Amino acid sequence: LAGQSVSDWQQALATSKTHQNSYLSILQGLNKLQAVEQRVAQLQQETTQHQQALEQSITRQAQLEQQLTEQEQHHALQLKQQQLQQQVMSLEAARTHLQDDEPCPLCGALAHPYAEHAPDIDDALATATLRTEQRVRELRQQHTEQRIRTVELQEKVRYTAQQLSDTINQQQEGVDQLTTQAQSLGLESTPTLTTETFQALQHTHTQSLTSLTEKLTTIEQLQTHILALQTQHDQATTEYRRHSHA
């Protein structure tokens, strides 16, 4: 047994068991780290999706702003046209006093095409104005909803990005801890931190631990046998001496 004492073998066994526990701890840590890596991948995907949705929402919001501005300007123009029509109709009293070849008291014109009848009211303009007004209300509602959607997506992007950052930090802490544990095993070089690698190392170490346990058991059995023989020898010697003095 290479000239080593039982104490040496017991110490070697204790060290081997400690390493075995380290392998088990590392494998458990790798399983947790694998779950963290999956969470990182999930958060990266969610962050990308939220960012894309945010960009689309901002684009849509800008489009709605442009459409709303155009419709509001168009509606303002229609209202102005209606106002002009109403002003023309309000001059009914002055129209009835117009005389041919006499200047209009308002504009000085000598021709009075509407002296006998007022211009027709454009009903189509009124209808179109109502439609534009309805469209403006719809666009304002859509724009408000889209603005709220944009704010919500901005918050989602911020929250998911923070979660991703925290999880990446957790992942790095796990890697650092496992690297330290791997180095504490006294390996010549730090192995790749994968479950497969440490399962193989643990299997090899388990075989060595089993062999070492068997050797120690053999030593202890031999030691017990030697002690028994020594006891028998001492008893025989004592008996021999007793008979010799008799």
Side-chain angles (χ1 to χ4, degrees):
L1 298 173
Q4 292 182 318
S5 66
V6 174
S7 178
D8 293 334
W9 284 102
Q10 289 175 335
Q11 181 61 40
L13 180 61
T15 301
S16 184
K17 287 181 177 180
T18 300
H19 285 179
Q20 180 75 351
N21 291 333
S22 295
Y23 279 115
L24 290 174
S25 177
I26 290 174
L27 285 172
Q28 292 173 352
L30 285 170
N31 288 333
K32 292 180 181 179
L33 187 60
Q34 192 173 40
V36 173
E37 290 174 348
Q38 292 174 350
R39 179 58 177 160
V40 167
Q42 178 185 355
L43 287 172
Q44 287 175 332
Q45 183 178 6
E46 289 180 5
T47 300
T48 299
Q49 291 174 345
H50 291 331
Q51 186 63 45
Q52 290 175 345
L54 175 59
E55 293 173 358
Q56 293 173 356
S57 181
I58 291 174
T59 299
R60 178 57 180 160
Q61 183 177 335
Q63 292 173 344
L64 288 171
E65 287 177 357
Q66 179 64 27
Q67 293 176 15
L68 178 59
T69 298
E70 292 174 354
Q71 289 297 316
E72 286 177 336
Q73 292 174 348
H74 183 51
H75 185 243
L77 180 60
Q78 289 175 321
L79 290 177
K80 187 175 182 179
Q81 290 175 334
Q82 281 190 315
Q83 185 180 13
L84 291 174
Q85 282 188 343
Q86 291 171 355
Q87 288 178 347
V88 169
M89 295 302 298
S90 68
L91 299 176
E92 179 66 19
R95 183 182 61 80
T96 58
H97 291 88
L98 291 175
Q99 300 294 328
D100 291 339
D101 298 327
E102 292 184 6
C104 173
L106 296 177
C107 65
L110 297 177
H112 314 298
Y114 299 116
E116 296 182 359
H117 62 84
D120 296 331
I121 295 297
D122 189 355
D123 293 333
L125 175 60
T127 302
T129 302
L130 291 175
R131 285 199 302 265
T132 303
E133 184 177 346
Q134 177 63 27
R135 180 57 178 160
V136 167
R137 285 197 296 267
E138 291 174 355
L139 286 171
R140 284 175 178 169
Q141 179 65 27
Q142 292 176 15
H143 181 261
T144 298
E145 292 173 354
Q146 195 65 46
R147 188 171 64 249
I148 294 173
R149 171 67 174 162
T150 298
V151 172
E152 290 175 347
L153 286 170
Q154 287 173 335
E155 179 59 24
K156 282 185 177 181
V157 169
R158 186 201 65 76
Y159 178 73
T160 308
Q162 183 61 52
Q163 279 193 314
L164 178 59
S165 177
D166 293 343
T167 307
I168 289 176
N169 290 336
Q170 180 184 356
Q171 180 186 32
Q172 186 58 50
E173 290 174 0
V175 170
D176 293 342
Q177 182 178 1
L178 291 176
T179 300
T180 300
Q181 286 182 287
Q183 291 172 343
S184 69
L185 292 172
L187 301 173
E188 293 182 0
S189 60
T190 303
T192 304
L193 290 174
T194 64
T195 302
E196 293 76 12
T197 298
F198 276 91
Q199 283 177 338
L201 287 171
Q202 185 195 32
H203 178 69
T204 301
H205 187 78
T206 299
Q207 290 178 329
S208 299
L209 180 60
T210 301
S211 176
L212 184 59
T213 302
E214 291 173 351
K215 288 179 181 180
L216 184 59
T217 300
T218 300
I219 292 172
E220 292 174 344
Q221 289 174 348
L222 288 172
Q223 188 180 41
T224 300
H225 183 61
I226 290 172
L227 289 174
L229 290 175
Q230 183 65 44
T231 300
Q232 292 177 5
H233 178 268
D234 292 342
Q235 291 175 348
T237 300
T238 301
E239 185 67 22
Y240 172 76
R241 289 176 179 175
R242 187 173 62 81
H243 285 294
S244 295
H245 290 294

